[in-house]
């Protein structure tokens, strides 16, 4: 066989058309402008947290403070007990997230893989509850929690909405993608339902658990209305309430409010940056399997 017959022919690479380059450049320009517009409040908040009070609303704004006021941050911990506030916020958010994952996973898996009486009706009620504004349930929830002695108690915030309709629906959609034949084979082999759930179901639900855990933690960390109603003592406040109390007084310390806001978003930024792949992957897989 001659070498001519085995020589692969390659077509010349086409150069991009000017119109394609223009469209791509326009898309990049739009994304740059959109990114800057999204980061503008964050950059202004960080800049204002390092300013003196009189420099916060300068016009034109001073983006880089000439004399950074790092005392704005230390003052929050020395005078405003932000160390206790951060502990309360982590304690409430972490326990709430763990309980929410536990109950939502159990309910979602049951709706997806078990058949029981009134199953469709109950799941329809769960979906319908997503359409009810949360503000309409505040008064009856307050009366119930007061009867159980959970007012001015962190557990009154932790156990609230641990079995959310969104979490149950999310885990149900993801659990539906688990092969029923695999579960039946495990039952034939003598595995108990608890063993099937812990050894087969949970490993398959790991991306969904990561996504729902991040979403739940972020929502609980930023929760303001219900903790405002339940938590009365200053020593039980979360970070969202502590930032709100900074506004009390004749002169609003905007520099301290901005410093407290910067502190509040640092844990969220770290969590999202570390687990962004799990978050996006879990949401995308759940959408495809659902």
């Amino acid at each position: 066989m001659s070498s001519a017959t085995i020589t692969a022919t390659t077509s010349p690479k086409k150069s991009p058309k000017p119109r394609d380059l223009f469209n791509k450049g326009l898309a990049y320009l739009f994304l740059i402008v959109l990114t800057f517009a999204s980061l503008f409040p964050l950059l202004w908040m960080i800049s204002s947290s390092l300013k003196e009070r009189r420099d916060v609303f300068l016009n034109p704004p001073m983006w880089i403070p000439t004399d950074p006021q790092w005392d704005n941050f230390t003052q929050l911990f020395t005078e405003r007990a932000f160390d206790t506030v951060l502990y309360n916020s982590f304690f409430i958010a972490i326990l709430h997230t763990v309980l929410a994952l536990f109950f939502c996973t159990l309910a979602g898996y049951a709706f997806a893989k078990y058949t029981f009486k009134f199953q469709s009706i109950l799941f329809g009620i769960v979906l319908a509850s997503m359409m009810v504004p949360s503000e309409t349930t505040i008064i009856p929830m307050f009366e119930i929690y007061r009867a159980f002695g959970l007012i001015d108690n962190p557990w009154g915030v932790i156990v609230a909405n641990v079995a959310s309709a969104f979490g149950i629906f999310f885990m149900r959609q993801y659990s539906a993608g688990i092969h029923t034949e695999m579960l039946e084979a495990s039952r034939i082999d003598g595995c108990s339902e608890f063993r099937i759930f812990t050894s087969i179901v949970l490993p398959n639900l790991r991306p969904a658990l990561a996504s729902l855990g991040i979403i739940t933690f972020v929502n609980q960390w930023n929760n303001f209305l219900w903790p405002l109603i339940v938590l009365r003592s200053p020593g039980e406040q979360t970070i969202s309430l502590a930032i709100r109390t900074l506004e009390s007084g004749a002169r609003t310390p905007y520099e301290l409010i901005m410093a407290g806001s910067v502190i509040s978003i640092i844990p969220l930024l770290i969590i999202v940056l570390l687990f962004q792949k799990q978050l996006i992957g879990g949401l995308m897989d759940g959408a495809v399997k659902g």
Side-chain angles (χ1 to χ4, degrees):
M1 183 180 296
S2 62
S3 60
T5 59
I6 61 175
T7 303
T9 58
T10 58
S11 57
K13 187 177 181 180
K14 296 182 180 180
S15 59
K17 297 180 180 180
R19 183 177 181 85
D20 295 337
L21 291 176
F22 175 78
N23 292 336
K24 185 177 291 186
L26 191 64
Y28 278 118
L29 179 62
F30 173 75
L31 291 176
I32 292 173
V33 174
L34 185 62
T35 301
F36 179 79
S38 302
L39 292 177
F40 175 81
L42 179 63
L43 297 176
W44 188 84
M45 179 182 64
I46 296 174
S47 175
S48 300
S49 67
L50 297 173
K51 297 177 182 177
E52 296 183 13
R53 188 174 307 177
R54 64 175 182 272
D55 297 332
V56 173
F57 294 106
L58 287 178
N59 192 14
M62 179 176 58
W63 286 99
I64 302 177
T66 56
D67 184 19
Q69 301 296 313
W70 298 103
D71 290 340
N72 293 339
F73 291 91
T74 59
Q75 185 177 348
L76 293 176
F77 290 93
T78 57
E79 300 180 9
R80 306 285 181 164
F82 255 56
D83 50 349
T84 303
V85 169
L86 287 174
Y87 172 81
N88 295 338
S89 298
F90 276 111
F91 177 76
I92 292 174
I94 291 175
L95 285 183
H96 176 85
T97 301
V98 172
L99 291 176
L101 290 178
F102 176 75
F103 288 110
C104 292
T105 302
L106 287 178
Y109 172 66
F111 277 120
K113 293 302 178 181
Y114 287 90
T115 301
F116 49 90
K117 195 174 184 180
F118 305 120
Q119 178 181 9
S120 300
I121 297 176
L122 292 175
F123 188 66
I125 293 174
V126 171
L127 294 181
S129 65
M130 298 175 64
M131 307 176 189
V132 179
S134 59
E135 292 78 8
T136 60
T137 63
I138 288 178
I139 295 178
M141 283 182 62
F142 179 82
E143 294 297 331
I144 294 173
Y145 280 56
R146 185 172 63 176
F148 283 95
L150 294 177
I151 300 301
D152 201 18
N153 188 326
W155 285 99
V157 181
I158 293 171
V159 300
N161 202 30
V162 290
S164 65
F166 169 77
I168 294 173
F169 172 76
F170 184 82
M171 298 307 298
R172 187 264 180 192
Q173 295 300 101
Y174 210 100
S175 299
I178 300 176
H179 296 292
T180 306
E181 295 81 2
M182 182 170 53
L183 304 179
E184 293 295 338
S186 301
R187 294 188 179 99
I188 293 174
D189 291 338
C191 290
S192 63
E193 293 299 321
F194 178 78
R195 179 69 181 275
I196 293 174
F197 181 76
T198 57
S199 301
I200 298 177
V201 176
L202 288 182
N204 282 277
L205 295 179
R206 192 176 300 167
L209 290 171
S211 299
L212 183 60
I214 295 172
I215 295 172
T216 304
F217 182 89
V218 171
N219 289 338
Q220 186 60 35
W221 182 272
N222 293 326
N223 193 9
F224 175 76
L225 182 58
W226 184 244
L228 177 65
I229 296 173
V230 174
L231 303 178
R232 307 290 180 83
S233 302
E236 303 292 346
Q237 288 183 339
T238 59
I239 194 166
S240 57
L241 299 182
I243 294 175
R244 173 63 179 84
T245 57
L246 292 175
E247 300 182 15
S248 60
R251 299 180 62 186
T252 303
Y254 290 104
E255 74 285 359
L256 297 183
I257 294 175
M258 294 297 103
S261 300
V262 171
I263 294 174
S264 69
I265 67 171
I266 289 177
L268 304 183
L269 287 177
I270 294 174
I271 291 174
V272 172
L273 291 176
L274 290 178
F275 301 102
Q276 58 180 336
K277 291 184 179 180
Q278 290 83 349
L279 175 62
I280 298 174
L283 293 176
M284 295 299 296
D285 291 345
V288 172
K289 292 183 180 182

